[in-house]
Amino acid sequence: MVGSALLLSLVAVLALALGTVLRNSAGAITIVIVLVILPQILAFALPLPVADWMLRLTPAAAFAVQQGATHYPQVESNCLPESGCYPLSPGNGLAVLCVYVAVALVLAGWRLRRRDV
């Protein structure tokens, strides 16, 4: 439950930072939806290696905090998002989202200093 709250809080901060960078709330909302929700949806339609790569490198990796099944690398099985299994551990998934948020915050701070001086 704490992980889900952290996930939503980080997505909100990401949206705020992107809104500051873009100076356009509709554009920021669109980019956040594309980065966070669209990979989750596309993972069902794409081949497993592509879906695995996408769920490791996009902010959608943070949804691993909600996984219902533990994935053991030594056991050969299909780890599918639709069955509640994600390629990253919950902590690593949140770390991917934290990196995106940190980059967006740095860009937002730079943009504010540059434009609002």
Side-chain angles (χ1 to χ4, degrees), residues 70-93:
T70 304
H71 174 65
Y72 299 103
Q74 70 270 18
V75 177
E76 189 171 324
S77 65
N78 287 334
C79 181
L80 302 172
E82 58 264 18
S83 63
C85 183
Y86 290 85
L88 293 176
S89 68
N92 291 341

Side-chain angles (χ1 to χ4, degrees), residues 20 92 111 116:
T20 303
N92 291 341
R111 179 78 182 237
D116 293 343

Side-chain angles (χ1 to χ4, degrees), residues 8 19 36 41 46 52 65 91 101:
L8 293 175
V36 177
I41 295 169
L46 295 173
D52 186 47
V65 300
V101 170

